[in-house]
Amino acid sequence: MRNKHDLNKLRNIGIIAHIDAGKTTTTERMLYYTGRVYKLGEVDEGTATMDWMAQEQERGITITSASTTCIWKDYTINILDTPGHVDFTVEVERSLRVLDAGVVIFCGVGGVESQSETVWRQADYYRVPRICFINKMDRTGSDFFRVVKQIRERLGANAAAIQLPLGVESNFNGIIDLINMNAIVYKDEKGLNYKSGKIADEMESKVEEYRHRLIESVADADDEIMAKFIHDEEITPDELKAAIRKSTIKAKFIPITCGAALRNKGVQPLLDAICDFLPSPLEVPPIKGFQPRTSKEISRKPNNNEPFSALIFKIMSDPFVGKLTFFRVYSGRLKSGSYIYNSSKEIKERVGKIVKMHANKQRIIPEVYAGDIAAAVGLRETKTGDTICDERHPIILESMHFPEPVIFLAIEPISNNDREKLALALKKFQDEDPSFKVRHDENTGQTIISGMGELHLEVIVNRMLREFNVIANVGRPQVAYKETLTKHASATAKFIQQTGGRGQYAHVVLDVAPAENGSGVTFASRIKGGVIPKEFIPAVKEGIMQASRSGVVSGYPVTDISVRLIDGSSHEVDSSELAFRTAASMGLSDALRKGNSVLLEPFMKLEIVSPEEYLGDVIGDFNSRRGRVESIKQRGNIKVIKGDAPLAEMFGYATALRNLTKGRATYTMEPAYYKQVPEHVMEKIF
């Protein structure tokens, strides 16, 4: 057990990257070299420790972020291995929210790919310090220097190599350390035996060039190094290392390392870099939140003597212990068997036991301390994004943003017994995955499930069958269209009902206008003089939100509108919350009709990687899908096509692309924006 006060020797890191860059393989090697596992698992063989789900082992991809802890040279490293596929980007989002730092992995051949840019933006949003690891240096076509240039130019990062590869492609056999100016050569296949030695003479000019670039980049972020650099004074390895650490923690500089994880080369120096350059919980700013009753901003320091506070970032169902609730402790300590206060929901719950996770295996611990990551058993009502804390010192920490689903399908159980099992399964999946949504369609009586892509829903349907034995009819995936209005509109709505005795009366005047892309539905009251009593304003808002779930064009949810309540009237006896809720709902529907409501469809950003000989066919097919090509670039001997296209046209694209290119092209796709559906397409939809 790590000394509970030794936070300086703790690192909380996430492994993030584009799909197939080698995240899980790199994590697997880290566990092997730190003695956490004694046998090397392989992703392709389905034996990787961190890919423990059956679907992960079969598909050879990571689907859910897996947590583990290892020890390297007296440092405790908590690792979250995250998925690279865009359908599971929510796993990256919630991991980055609670981590202190990240290791971004790039393929030495593919370089900066579309999902690399996405995870980089996510890390920027959460201000996460990071280091880069350029992997697969042993692969044919790998080019370390090209990828370094892409990181600087395409990601806009002040980044520089602290290592250079020794040898290229199949001759890659080690690394050159630009800080200590020595060469590390690997002597065996498992990467356990390596020796440090002198840099070969033929590498000297390249080494000098890139060491100069390293010092130049660090000088941009560190005044002391800048002063020495300007005056051409010698900079010692210790001074350079200290400056790199300081600049990396401030997110002003990003060190770049290299290796070939599958061939067991470069992972130990990467572990050294994690310990040397990434921050401990003491070196990141104190977490901020607000006091629930006063909304006053408060902060918590990573100290065991501060009041307890933690953020729930993941829920996982375990067949043996039930629900596992993952949390990051920001301050204080928590003992198993004690009670916590959920300040987000204002409820108390008892922690049955606390466990440290190693993929899907658990180790019970008696207590967890500030800065650590663990999981609790026994929390029934607590959900992802909730804050748990000391009831005497309540705080609500900033929650997480989760993207809206872009695809849905209908699912129908074939028997009443399956109906009960389906309801149980869907509840568990919703608890686990905030980007997965479930609703009941009142018109058809069907259950509608929504997610981030075809693979996302395919995995969930597969898990229903395997884990819950649910037999159901599953519809084809459908696009999650939305509606919005195109012009400003006002609407007056009255709800009057007299049935003898007390009646119902409500009168509202709404002003509705188009709003910013991605803003959803916003509501503001401009009522003056109490023409509508304050206690009825929340009911008006509720009625508007209720009506916005089903638009007037075709019943899809309404988005990107601004609604203002500008006038109205009430009756001192007959007015009620129900009446104002109904009037507001009627008013919004009327405004949407007057404002020429239109249908919006989700557009996807694509990156297609294809051999040059198939370029014409690939672009022709892409254009036929209403795709728009933004750029075509050369990467080695292949072409990289970037563009966007409507999701409705991209179903089955994987099969079509495979057929067009004899299986040699690949693509990645992620949600980009919503855009109005053209008239000729509207006719096909309806």
Side-chain angles (χ1 to χ4, degrees):
M1 167 66 68
R2 171 177 59 86
N3 184 314
K4 56 181 176 279
H5 300 295
D6 197 8
L7 280 179
N8 280 309
K9 294 288 179 93
L10 176 64
R11 301 287 181 269
N12 291 317
I13 66 161
I15 310 292
I16 58 176
H18 181 91
I19 191 168
D20 206 31
K23 293 178 302 301
T24 302
T25 301
T26 304
T27 308
E28 200 72 22
R29 270 41 180 186
M30 287 180 180
L31 297 178
Y32 178 69
Y33 295 127
T34 57
R36 194 70 177 82
V37 298
Y38 298 99
K39 184 185 174 194
L40 286 170
E42 302 296 350
V43 173
D44 293 343
E45 294 171 12
T47 57
T49 306
M50 304 301 275
D51 283 352
W52 55 270
M53 285 175 66
Q55 288 91 334
E56 292 178 317
Q57 292 165 358
E58 288 168 6
R59 297 169 191 267
I61 62 168
T62 302
I63 290 169
T64 181
S65 57
S67 169
T68 190
T69 302
C70 58
I71 300 197
W72 178 252
K73 295 182 179 176
D74 203 29
Y75 284 83
T76 301
I77 307 173
N78 288 324
I79 302 173
L80 286 179
D81 175 29
T82 67
H85 198 287
V86 68
D87 282 20
F88 310 106
T89 191
V90 68
E91 293 287 338
V92 183
E93 191 85 23
R94 59 179 166 193
S95 299
L96 286 172
R97 172 65 182 82
V98 298
L99 292 168
D100 298 327
V103 176
V104 189
I105 299 181
F106 297 90
C107 172
V109 181
V112 175
E113 299 172 270
S114 60
Q115 191 65 6
S116 313
E117 296 182 46
T118 302
V119 298
W120 196 271
R121 284 196 305 271
Q122 288 172 308
D124 280 343
Y125 177 79
Y126 289 111
R127 298 180 293 281
V128 174
R130 68 212 83 147
I131 59 178
C132 299
F133 179 65
I134 300 178
N135 191 25
K136 304 190 179 183
M137 293 312 305
D138 59 320
R139 287 262 302 271
T140 303
S142 63
D143 187 338
F144 175 80
F145 304 103
R146 176 175 53 82
V147 182
V148 169
K149 188 179 177 187
Q150 286 181 348
I151 291 169
R152 288 183 64 90
E153 293 178 357
R154 287 180 57 182
L155 302 177
N158 179 29
I162 61 169
Q163 298 169 1
L164 296 183
L166 197 57
V168 293
E169 299 181 349
S170 59
N171 294 321
F172 173 72
N173 65 345
I175 61 168
I176 294 169
D177 182 345
L178 293 178
I179 299 171
N180 297 305
M181 294 298 280
N182 61 353
I184 297 167
V185 182
Y186 286 85
K187 295 295 185 184
D188 69 335
E189 280 189 11
K190 286 197 171 179
L192 292 166
N193 297 316
Y194 54 93
K195 73 170 187 176
S196 178
K198 187 175 175 292
I199 298 167
D201 292 342
E202 62 266 23
M203 288 291 293
E204 207 167 286
S205 62
K206 197 78 159 172
V207 168
E208 284 299 329
E209 178 194 344
Y210 274 84
R211 192 170 200 272
H212 181 82
R213 289 188 186 185
L214 169 61
I215 293 170
E216 201 174 38
S217 297
V218 175
D220 284 343
D222 187 277
D223 293 339
E224 290 174 27
I225 296 294
M226 176 64 85
K228 287 203 164 197
F229 179 66
I230 289 170
H231 296 104
D232 205 22
E233 294 176 29
E234 187 190 346
I235 298 165
T236 67
D238 287 344
E239 286 173 333
L240 185 54
K241 189 185 276 191
I244 291 171
R245 175 172 179 74
K246 193 163 66 171
S247 305
T248 303
I249 288 170
K250 289 179 182 174
K252 290 182 176 179
F253 174 72
I254 295 164
I256 301 174
T257 63
C258 64
L262 189 64
R263 299 285 169 258
N264 312 310
K265 294 179 175 74
V267 178
Q268 297 97 326
L270 174 61
L271 284 163
D272 287 337
I274 288 166
C275 300
D276 289 342
F277 305 125
L278 294 180
S280 74
L282 294 171
E283 292 165 309
V284 294
I287 190 73
K288 288 182 179 175
F290 62 90
Q291 217 278 345
R293 291 178 184 84
T294 64
S295 296
K296 178 187 171 187
E297 187 176 273
I298 47 179
S299 62
R300 292 276 190 270
K301 293 176 184 173
N303 189 313
N304 293 329
N305 298 320
E306 288 253 320
F308 172 71
S309 68
L311 184 71
I312 307 301
F313 69 94
K314 182 178 169 71
I315 306 288
M316 188 175 94
S317 296
D318 185 279
F320 303 107
V321 300
K323 194 161 81 169
L324 281 167
T325 306
F326 288 72
F327 61 96
R328 158 72 191 264
V329 183
Y330 285 101
S331 62
R333 60 179 83 186
L334 180 67
K335 288 184 176 179
S336 63
S338 58
Y339 282 85
I340 55 94
Y341 178 63
N342 182 327
S343 54
S344 305
K345 290 194 168 62
E346 299 184 346
I347 55 171
K348 279 178 76 172
E349 291 203 82
R350 184 176 177 274
V351 176
K353 63 181 177 181
I354 301 170
V355 296
K356 289 289 279 185
M357 299 299 295
H358 176 52
N360 62 333
K361 298 179 178 64
Q362 303 151 20
R363 174 171 61 85
I364 298 172
I365 56 173
E367 192 171 11
V368 67
Y369 306 101
D372 229 334
I373 291 172
V377 178
L379 303 182
R380 296 179 181 277
E381 303 300 321
T382 299
K383 299 283 189 292
T384 299
D386 287 356
T387 300
I388 56 174
C389 59
D390 181 343
E391 190 175 10
R392 293 164 298 178
H393 302 91
I395 185 173
I396 295 181
L397 304 173
E398 183 191 349
S399 191
M400 288 165 264
H401 163 74
F402 297 114
E404 284 293 311
V406 294
I407 189 170
F408 70 89
L409 56 80
I411 184 163
E412 287 181 334
I414 62 168
S415 69
N416 281 332
N417 185 36
D418 283 304
R419 192 176 301 280
E420 289 174 19
K421 287 191 286 187
L422 176 66
L424 177 66
L426 293 179
K427 169 119 181 23
K428 286 201 173 183
F429 294 145
Q430 275 189 292
D431 285 347
E432 287 182 17
D433 185 352
S435 65
F436 173 67
K437 301 279 169 57
V438 180
R439 67 180 175 86
H440 183 72
D441 190 318
E442 292 177 3
N443 297 323
T444 63
Q446 292 176 314
T447 298
I448 308 295
I449 61 174
S450 310
M452 298 307 299
E454 285 182 273
L455 180 62
H456 188 194
L457 294 185
E458 189 184 317
V459 166
I460 280 173
V461 169
N462 190 273
R463 285 184 66 192
M464 281 180 200
L465 180 63
R466 288 187 179 198
E467 296 172 28
F468 296 91
N469 296 318
V470 175
I471 302 172
N473 295 319
V474 180
R476 289 181 58 209
Q478 304 288 321
V479 176
Y481 292 103
K482 291 189 178 183
E483 296 182 21
T484 195
L485 45 69
T486 55
K487 65 179 185 180
H488 186 278
S490 296
T492 300
K494 285 186 178 180
F495 179 67
I496 303 171
Q497 200 172 55
Q498 293 293 340
T499 52
R502 184 179 170 179
Q504 297 282 0
Y505 178 89
H507 166 217
V508 297
V509 181
L510 301 177
D511 188 73
V512 187
E516 272 182 39
N517 195 7
S519 61
V521 179
T522 59
F523 170 79
S525 171
R526 297 287 183 267
I527 293 297
K528 292 177 183 175
V531 291
I532 297 177
K534 282 183 181 177
E535 62 265 28
F536 294 134
I537 304 295
V540 173
K541 181 179 179 180
E542 198 180 319
I544 285 162
M545 295 304 172
Q546 203 171 329
S548 72
R549 291 183 201 129
S550 180
V552 296
V553 178
S554 53
Y556 288 105
V558 178
T559 190
D560 301 341
I561 61 167
S562 164
V563 184
R564 292 187 302 163
L565 174 63
I566 56 172
D567 202 1
S569 62
S570 64
H571 188 282
E572 58 185 27
V573 175
D574 291 350
S575 286
S576 66
E577 287 185 3
L578 172 65
F580 274 100
R581 207 162 38 237
T582 307
S585 181
M586 291 162 53
L588 182 64
S589 297
D590 187 30
L592 290 172
R593 276 186 282 271
K594 288 179 180 175
N596 288 352
S597 200
V598 294
L599 201 63
L600 301 174
E601 63 179 338
F603 267 64
M604 312 301 282
K605 184 169 76 176
L606 284 97
E607 182 176 278
I608 307 162
V609 179
S610 169
E612 194 163 353
E613 63 204 85
Y614 300 110
L615 184 64
D617 291 338
V618 170
I619 289 177
D621 177 71
F622 187 62
N623 289 337
S624 74
R625 296 171 183 271
R626 294 194 282 135
R628 180 177 65 91
V629 175
E630 284 179 0
S631 66
I632 303 171
K633 291 183 179 174
Q634 193 83 23
R635 185 191 291 165
N637 59 352
I638 57 172
K639 290 286 187 182
V640 180
I641 305 151
K642 285 191 169 187
D644 50 34
L647 175 61
E649 306 288 349
M650 299 312 293
F651 291 129
Y653 187 59
T655 305
L657 189 63
R658 207 160 38 234
N659 292 339
L660 277 174
T661 63
K662 298 181 180 174
R664 292 175 63 194
T666 60
Y667 79 100
T668 54
M669 182 168 75
E670 62 179 290
Y673 56 87
Y674 272 82
K675 187 177 176 182
Q676 185 176 340
V677 177
E679 283 294 330
H680 69 280
V681 178
M682 283 276 287
E683 293 166 12
K684 293 178 188 174
I685 295 172
F686 304 113

